[in-house]
Amino acid sequence: MSLKGMSIISIRDMEKEHLEEVIRVAGEVKRGKHKNFLKGKVISTLFFEPSTRTRLSFESAAKQMGAEVIGFAGSDYTSVKKGESLGDTIKTVSGYCDLIVMRHHLEGSARYASEVASVPVINAGDGANQHPTQTFLDLFTIREYFQDFSSLKVAFLGDLKYGRTVHSLAYALSLYKTTIWLISPDLLRMPQFLVEELRANGSSVREIDNLEQIQETFDILYVTRIQRERFGDPQEYMKVAGSYRITRGVIESLGKNIKIMHPLPRVDEIDFDVDTMDNAIYFKQAHNGIPVRQAILGLVLGTI
Ligand code: CP
């Protein structure tokens, strides 16, 4: 099942075979099997919203494989500032490159961009909606520890309402019928239509208020930040800020095999002294962004 020429907008557009193909090829890339396969290509990174990992790992990934990179981080010095529409920006940039990577605050913006672009578009995060390449690197990282996703037990903790990384990853895991716990304050519950979608795909899904309510061992705790920038009302944010915190003690109580993941950036939801525990794999996750995004670029451009 080929990704060649496809825009990568939502994990919902993917079949399990696509997920397995990216994981397989990313493994080959990480082992050094493919070299310089983006030579002669130009990649645009259009980041209308802040990013550290996604933009820089895409740019590093592309350059390491021989591509040229153009683009912007923040649209203040582009013609968007003069009133240019997103559609006109995308149509114009399509003529300057082979592929567009875009992050934008509006849900649905990446889908729209893919409809007007004449080159493939990769969604690097559209509002609270989807972040599919984060999911590919999350799955790749999980596979480095667990072969069988269907027997996995994964707890998601935090902002499940606005957390696009959770929306994408939970959906992908539901294709494997992974057992899922959703742990959040009431205000930050995952939208019900997404929960129903996970169940319809065959996952057992339980929504709970705190970690202590899980009475059995599980494999992965995927923690997310409460995203202040997504709240319309600062008072609503203050009601939930600091409502959970992962410490060494919490992790020890979960058993020595538990893996702690986080898409990053972190604010205060995981103590810094957790970083040295073998359970903490979130920086490894971030570093896997390079081979995984290289694989995605190569597969979409048909050069790998
Ligand atoms: N995980 C992630 O998307 O990080 P950035 O916002 O730094 O790109």
Side-chain angles (χ1 to χ4, degrees), residues 50-55 103 131 134 164-165 263-265:
S51 166
T52 297
R53 277 146 291 274
T54 311
R55 184 175 67 84
R103 173 171 288 186
H131 193 350
Q134 177 72 41
R164 59 194 174 200
T165 60
L264 303 176

Side-chain angles (χ1 to χ4, degrees), residues 9-154:
I9 304 302
S10 169
I11 284 293
R12 281 197 201 79
D13 302 334
M14 299 289 140
E15 306 287 341
K16 213 154 85 174
E17 289 74 16
H18 290 124
L19 307 181
E20 290 296 327
E21 177 70 350
V22 172
I23 294 170
R24 184 185 68 75
V25 174
E28 291 180 356
V29 171
K30 191 168 178 178
R31 291 190 295 275
K33 183 172 174 190
H34 306 281
K35 305 275 185 221
N36 233 24
F37 54 83
L38 298 175
K39 193 169 173 49
K41 299 295 182 190
V42 178
I43 309 296
S44 288
T45 54
L46 311 185
F47 278 65
F48 295 86
E49 247 199 355
S51 166
T52 297
R53 277 146 291 274
T54 311
R55 184 175 67 84
L56 294 179
S57 66
F58 258 117
E59 294 188 356
S60 178
K63 288 179 182 187
Q64 286 178 43
M65 288 299 159
E68 300 290 333
V69 177
I70 61 172
F72 53 79
S75 56
D76 274 5
Y77 292 95
T78 72
S79 289
V80 170
K81 201 71 181 166
K82 304 175 208 161
E84 184 166 56
S85 66
L86 178 61
D88 283 358
T89 302
I90 296 297
K91 283 181 213 167
T92 303
V93 175
S94 285
Y96 302 157
C97 65
D98 299 287
L99 181 147
I100 293 172
V101 179
M102 185 181 91
R103 173 171 288 186
H104 199 283
H105 60 278
L106 286 179
E107 294 179 28
S109 53
R111 178 81 61 200
Y112 170 69
S114 73
E115 287 164 3
V116 299
S118 56
V119 295
V121 173
I122 295 182
N123 180 7
D126 61 329
N129 186 30
Q130 284 270 314
H131 193 350
T133 65
Q134 177 72 41
T135 294
F136 282 120
L137 74 88
D138 290 343
L139 293 174
F140 180 78
T141 307
I142 294 171
R143 183 57 64 72
E144 289 187 319
Y145 296 93
F146 303 97
Q147 274 305 305
D148 178 16
F149 292 169
S150 61
S151 60
L152 265 185
K153 296 178 179 178
V154 179

